Amino acid sequence: MMTWTRRTVMGAALATMTALPVAAQETISAVVIDGYPDRALWVKEFTNFFIPEVDRRLAENGNYVMDWQENYGGSIVKPKGVLEGIQLGLGDIGIVTTIFHSSKLPSQGLSAVTPFVSSDARAVAQAVDEIAREFPAMQNEFAAQNQVYLATGVVLNSYQVFSTQEVAGVSDLEGFKVAGAGMNLRYLEGINDAAGVRGGLTDFYNMMQTGLADAGMLWPEAAATFKISEVAPYMLRADLGAVNSKTVTVNQDYWNNLPDEVKEVLQAVAIDYRDHLAGIAMDRAAAAEETYVAAGGTIVDVSEEDRAAWAAAIPNIAQEWAATLNDNGEPGTEMLEAYLAKLEAAGFTGVRDWSAQ
């Protein structure tokens, strides 16, 4: 649990000076919330990158200084409660874990319904965020929750499968209970008798330790951060793909009262935070796997043939996703095709064409 209030050294110093330009400086309070602990990568980088960068840019003109009040680890909301917390004004700015809200934020599932395409967090983050800016659906969904969309982030280079039991390939997962969250549970429909067990990242350790799950779908950096090797010493490197799961939003009422200069800085920094976060996820991926192995973990690579077979066995969840949006009057098919085209242009073609019927 973590709650703290801070102002930057520069902001605090400016606020106490008596020169005329500083006297006109306005202090703006910003309550930031996330239910995950501060050691989670996206939370840590919100503190270490997003906030200082906003402060730095605002200091260039000296008109405004932010009074940040950071609340993490369940101090205000649980991990699944950020969307509602921002909607109700319990926080002004939040990092919404979108995979928990497929019914309220269906279009945010775009990368989740297209597994086995790209394991590059940078490419996926940019493609999804561009779709959000080119099509109104994503921003409209947040608007319906009394929120302003800033940017979508990707914090994982690729979902992998971490198992409590020794595995040599995908077939060894048959009959397993596999922990997951959101749409990735649908991937298990391509494996005989595998059953999904819904949970959050902070739950996976206990779920596998107690036998509630035999395996979990998460990414190496998170596995290292949450010491997953202690309970799941086998990683099946299936490269299921990078998935956007974090979106920075602002309470609409709070946003309406912000000066334009602050709005512009928040919007610009959110995009930089998106790319910064994805870059760190990629940089840490290899190191995280090394940490996993050093802690006693074993990594087993899935063959390309097995990956293709697994992808082919999954129902076409991308077409289901597109059809649902189409039925709601949104251009689901166009969004899907545009997203896959962006990844292909970036050099990523999946082992299955999810746009094909």
Side-chain angles (χ1 to χ4, degrees), residues 282-302:
M282 295 303 296
D283 291 342
R284 292 188 179 180
E289 290 188 1
E290 293 174 1
T291 298
Y292 178 76
V293 171
T298 299
I299 297 178
V300 178
D301 286 301
V302 174

Side-chain angles (χ1 to χ4, degrees), residues 83 96-114 124-125 127-145 149 152-154 183 243-247 249 317-318 320-340:
L83 182 70
V96 177
T97 300
T98 55
I99 56 177
F100 293 136
H101 308 288
S102 57
S103 59
K104 293 180 179 178
L105 307 172
S107 67
Q108 279 280 318
L110 180 52
S111 65
V113 300
T114 51
V124 171
V128 172
D129 199 39
E130 287 179 357
I131 292 296
R133 299 176 196 285
E134 294 169 11
F135 296 87
M138 288 190 187
Q139 298 197 43
N140 288 345
E141 288 169 3
F142 281 105
Q145 303 302 315
Y149 171 101
T152 285
V154 173
M183 187 58 68
V243 174
N244 65 287
S245 60
K246 308 296 172 184
T247 297
T249 71
I317 53 179
E320 294 176 17
W321 173 89
T324 298
L325 288 182
N326 292 342
D327 292 343
N328 290 333
E330 301 288 357
T333 298
E334 290 86 347
M335 292 169 68
L336 174 61
E337 292 174 349
Y339 172 70
L340 293 175

Side-chain angles (χ1 to χ4, degrees), residues 11-173:
L14 287 172
T16 57
M17 293 174 65
T18 58
L20 181 59
V22 177
Q25 187 180 60
E26 180 181 346
T27 298
I28 297 174
S29 173
V31 178
V32 182
I33 62 172
D34 195 340
Y36 282 98
D38 61 309
R39 69 179 183 274
L41 175 61
W42 59 95
V43 178
K44 182 184 299 184
E45 293 309 316
F46 199 93
T47 295
N48 293 340
F49 177 83
F50 187 99
I51 287 175
E53 187 62 14
V54 169
D55 289 336
R56 184 188 68 79
R57 297 190 191 189
L58 289 177
E60 291 177 356
N61 288 334
N63 297 320
Y64 304 98
V65 62
M66 303 297 292
D67 179 9
W68 298 100
Q69 300 167 37
E70 299 178 71
N71 302 271
Y72 307 132
S75 59
I76 289 183
V77 294
K78 301 297 184 184
K80 296 181 182 179
V82 180
L83 182 70
E84 184 177 11
I86 296 297
Q87 178 187 27
L88 298 176
L90 300 180
D92 302 318
I93 302 174
I95 309 169
V96 177
T97 300
T98 55
I99 56 177
F100 293 136
H101 308 288
S102 57
S103 59
K104 293 180 179 178
L105 307 172
S107 67
Q108 279 280 318
L110 180 52
S111 65
V113 300
T114 51
F116 298 105
V117 177
S118 174
S119 294
D120 191 306
R122 296 159 298 199
V124 171
Q126 181 175 340
V128 172
D129 199 39
E130 287 179 357
I131 292 296
R133 299 176 196 285
E134 294 169 11
F135 296 87
M138 288 190 187
Q139 298 197 43
N140 288 345
E141 288 169 3
F142 281 105
Q145 303 302 315
N146 194 36
Q147 288 163 65
V148 174
Y149 171 101
L150 289 188
T152 285
V154 173
V155 299
L156 55 107
N157 69 307
S158 182
Y159 274 121
Q160 312 292 1
V161 182
F162 292 82
S163 171
T164 62
Q165 306 172 41
E166 185 172 1
V167 290
V170 176
S171 62
D172 290 334
L173 299 177

